[in-house]
Amino acid sequence: MKYIKYKVFTIGAYEKEEQWLNEMSAIGMQLTGVGVCRYVFEKGLPGEYIYRLQMLDNIPTHPQSVDYIRFVEDTGAEQVGSLLNWVYFRKKAADGPFDLYSDLDSRLKHYRRIKAVCNAIIPVEFLIGALNIFIINVDGSWELPNIIYRTNMLLGLLCIGLGIWIIFIGRSVRKKINILKKEITIRE
């Protein structure tokens, strides 16, 4: 029997998402599929799987990503699902520890990918927000019907708010990057 749970995680909090999936596994709920804020589980043995997430450079169907996914699957893991560039892996807990980042450099590279996505989304959100706030009719007048104006204003403010929220997410990712850089420097 399938169980569907809805939960929201930010792009910079993938560790929290991983932790939640592993907590669900600990109570016997095993992830079988993902969607936008949607998780599909099936009953299984408690703690049967360890879950890991990774943001790839390309979409999972890209040849380079397919090769990487095959490489991870050759270690005994399996791909449970994907969402945009994010891939969800699981591995039997009985097979031992499961970590996708073997060293600090690979972890740093992962955080830099997340930071790049945040940096790409922020200007788009502000642009869409500004366009919605200052939208004009096709004839160039500012006389839009009241409901359309209010709707566009609300959507614009929502987009700008989302852009500001992503700035804060990006800041937390930058902090993690700086911590990893210091750790790499110390180890050298």
Side-chain angles (χ1 to χ4, degrees):
M1 182 170 190
K2 294 187 187 254
Y3 299 90
I4 297 174
K5 299 254 184 204
Y6 295 93
K7 197 159 175 86
V8 177
F9 291 97
T10 63
I11 188 172
Y14 83 93
E15 295 105 333
K16 289 181 183 177
E17 186 175 4
E18 248 182 26
Q19 179 184 353
W20 178 71
L21 292 172
N22 286 305
E23 288 169 359
M24 294 298 288
S25 176
I27 61 170
M29 300 296 285
Q30 307 306 332
L31 184 71
T32 59
V34 294
V36 177
C37 303
R38 181 178 182 263
Y39 301 85
V40 181
F41 295 93
E42 286 182 355
K43 281 268 191 193
L45 298 174
E48 183 176 5
Y49 291 101
I50 299 170
Y51 292 90
R52 296 288 178 243
L53 281 66
Q54 186 165 17
M55 177 182 267
L56 304 176
D57 287 327
N58 303 295
I59 60 173
T61 56
H62 186 276
Q64 184 180 9
S65 296
V66 169
D67 290 343
Y68 177 74
I69 291 168
R70 281 193 195 128
F71 167 75
V72 172
E73 289 176 337
D74 286 344
T75 68
E78 65 178 303
Q79 179 186 352
V80 179
S82 63
L83 184 63
L84 301 174
N85 287 24
W86 284 98
V87 181
Y88 294 71
F89 292 106
R90 72 181 182 183
K91 187 175 182 180
K92 292 263 187 190
D95 294 344
F98 178 37
D99 195 6
L100 293 173
Y101 310 104
S102 57
D103 59 4
L104 293 175
D105 288 328
S106 62
R107 188 176 302 266
L108 181 63
K109 183 179 176 185
H110 178 71
Y111 280 118
R112 284 183 172 153
R113 265 183 259 155
I114 294 171
K115 181 182 162 199
V117 169
C118 288
N119 289 343
I121 292 173
I122 292 167
V124 172
E125 288 297 331
F126 283 114
L127 178 64
I128 292 171
L131 288 174
N132 272 296
I133 290 172
F134 301 110
I135 194 164
I136 56 175
N137 269 337
V138 183
D139 65 1
S141 74
W142 285 89
E143 298 174 15
L144 294 173
N146 204 13
I147 188 74
I148 294 174
Y149 177 75
R150 287 183 180 173
T151 302
N152 283 337
M153 180 65 75
L154 181 64
L155 287 173
L157 292 173
L158 185 66
C159 287
I160 289 173
L162 186 58
I164 291 169
W165 186 42
I166 294 171
I167 287 172
F168 285 106
I169 292 169
R171 286 181 66 199
S172 72
V173 171
R174 274 192 301 279
K175 285 179 185 177
K176 291 175 185 177
I177 288 171
N178 289 337
I179 289 168
L180 282 172
K181 283 181 180 178
K182 286 178 186 176
E183 198 169 331
I184 288 169
T185 304
I186 289 169
R187 290 189 182 190
E188 288 180 345

